[in-house]
Amino acid sequence: MSHPRFHPRVLFTKNFSVTSAQIRALEDSPYEVWASHSDPHHGMLAAAPHTLTEPRGLLGDDYVAWLLGTCAEHGFDLVLPGKERERLAAYRDTFAAQGTQLVVPADEATQRHLERKDEFLRGWDTDILPIPRWTTFQSVAEFDAACAQLRQDGVRLCMKPARGIYASGFRVLTERPDLAPFLRGELYQLSVAAARELLAAGELPVMLLMHTLEGAERSIDCVAWEGRLIRAVVRRKGAHGQVIEDRPDLVEAAARIAQHYALSGIFNFQTKDQAGAAHMLEINARASGGLRYSMAAGVNFARLLLDAATGRLDWDALPAVETGLTVAEEKGVRAWRA
């Protein structure tokens, strides 16, 4: 396989802190790595050998214009955007015309579909994985009706915004107030009465009400190119670390997701078990906050993505995923075999 002889210049734009781990993993790669952020002290900039400071407050087409100009000025060959990722997808041809490959996970419509969890669940193919029972509400009256619709003996309900990241707004509902979980520091429980009081306090976004799945929770970190899965790492979450599991069924689900949504990039999906069967919760067309744990399984997600984008990837010699590891955070990520 022939490869380009130059070192492509790659820019990671403003993104979440997990991007720092991706950048550090490219230290010995054939790429000239740059990072940009509006905060000059952000970890992304500390991790990258070359940096730019983004102007504050730019949104939408103004941000697109700034990025186009920056790419032309610095000669970036590839850009992996964080900020305005969905909007930028509509400008891939514009960037390509000036010599920059914009690496986004999907077109704008697909990314927005995945971000809107109600739309995603409504259109989900349950032949891939089942989903819990769910509905939506936008008022206290609708909340009451949704609770009546989904209430079932032995099943707790939970709620969360249809759009959100990192469990923002997620709460498991209890029928009665209970002081004990509060005193134990369990922040994600809320009584139905307290929920009703909160929901009445202002205008609501679209909210989801769902059956709470009580089994094991997993996060599956994936990288794909043009709808073809490159690698997937399955993490089972626990109280004292996360276990990298050998789960061919969930890797197969990852491959079907990548193909169904024609994904090109790092993405993640979340599952929870019910009666021993994994159920789909959500797909995020971005790197998860726990990606660094999956990297400990021997998968350099950013390198695989860049190699695929530049035609350097050897699909017949992909790195093995090391399973059976327990991974935890202790002065950095560490992994060990039980």
Side-chain angles (χ1 to χ4, degrees):
M1 179 183 295
S2 62
H3 302 307
R5 296 183 179 180
F6 67 111
H7 296 285
R9 183 172 291 182
V10 180
L11 174 66
F12 289 80
T13 70
K14 182 177 180 177
N15 211 332
F16 297 114
S17 296
V18 67
T19 312
S20 303
Q22 298 176 54
I23 291 170
R24 281 193 284 273
L26 294 171
E27 284 181 359
D28 297 321
S29 75
Y31 300 100
E32 181 183 311
V33 179
W34 291 61
S36 64
H37 203 284
S38 58
D39 177 1
H41 305 294
H42 195 273
M44 280 182 62
L45 303 189
H50 309 284
T51 63
L52 292 168
T53 302
E54 297 187 12
R56 293 182 181 272
L58 287 186
L59 296 171
D61 289 344
D62 290 336
Y63 185 80
V64 173
W66 172 81
L67 188 55
L68 277 166
T70 298
C71 289
E73 178 183 354
H74 292 276
F76 290 117
D77 300 293
L78 300 100
V79 173
L80 283 74
K83 181 177 178 178
E84 296 288 353
R85 186 190 66 234
E86 297 94 339
R87 186 77 188 97
L88 282 162
Y91 290 85
R92 280 182 289 188
D93 290 345
T94 307
F95 278 87
Q98 68 175 33
T100 300
Q101 184 177 6
L102 194 66
V103 181
V104 291
D107 60 39
E108 184 176 12
T110 298
Q111 291 187 71
R112 296 197 184 281
H113 173 77
L114 295 175
E115 288 290 331
R116 298 179 175 111
K117 306 309 180 187
D118 55 330
E119 291 185 13
F120 160 67
L121 289 170
R122 198 171 290 118
W124 174 246
D125 181 359
T126 54
D127 285 342
I128 300 176
L129 287 173
I131 57 175
R133 287 186 62 198
W134 69 282
T135 189
T136 60
F137 65 91
Q138 272 191 279
S139 68
V140 173
E142 290 180 357
F143 171 73
D144 290 340
C147 287
Q149 175 188 340
L150 294 185
R151 193 170 277 119
Q152 181 178 319
D153 287 344
V155 177
R156 295 190 297 172
L157 300 179
C158 61
M159 68 177 191
K160 64 180 179 179
R163 298 193 70 181
I165 61 170
Y166 298 158
S168 58
F170 171 80
R171 293 294 185 274
V172 174
L173 300 175
T174 60
E175 288 297 328
R176 297 176 181 82
D178 187 351
L179 182 60
F182 172 78
L183 294 176
R184 290 196 300 267
E186 296 178 13
L187 302 180
Y188 292 114
Q189 288 197 17
L190 191 69
S191 71
V192 171
R196 293 184 82 257
E197 185 175 354
L198 276 175
L199 297 171
E203 185 177 350
L204 286 177
V206 177
M207 300 287 292
L208 301 180
L209 189 73
M210 310 178 75
H211 278 188
T212 300
L213 306 179
E214 306 289 359
E217 181 179 0
R218 293 177 177 83
S219 187
I220 299 87
D221 292 311
C222 313
V223 59
W225 187 250
E226 295 181 343
R228 183 179 178 187
L229 183 70
I230 301 173
R231 275 290 177 257
V233 177
V234 180
R235 295 184 276 118
R236 187 182 78 246
K237 299 181 180 182
H240 304 291
Q242 303 191 22
V243 178
I244 308 298
E245 292 187 321
D246 182 14
R247 287 293 299 264
D249 58 328
L250 293 179
V251 172
E252 173 61 23
R256 294 180 67 181
I257 290 166
Q259 181 180 38
H260 182 78
Y261 295 106
L263 297 176
S264 287
I266 300 170
F267 69 96
N268 169 272
F269 66 100
Q270 307 277 330
T271 70
K272 284 201 79 173
D273 283 0
Q274 185 77 338
H279 285 57
M280 170 63 75
L281 296 179
E282 64 182 26
I283 299 173
N284 298 298
R286 53 171 171 78
S288 71
L291 183 73
R292 61 195 184 281
Y293 297 121
S294 289
M295 291 169 65
V299 179
N300 188 333
F301 290 83
R303 174 66 186 271
L304 291 171
L305 176 58
L306 289 173
D307 284 355
T310 57
R312 298 166 181 249
L313 184 65
D314 186 348
W315 289 88
D316 296 320
L318 297 175
V321 177
E322 190 173 357
T323 59
L325 298 176
T326 299
V327 187
E329 193 92 49
E330 186 177 310
K331 295 181 180 179
V333 173
R334 67 186 186 96
W336 66 95
R337 189 173 297 281

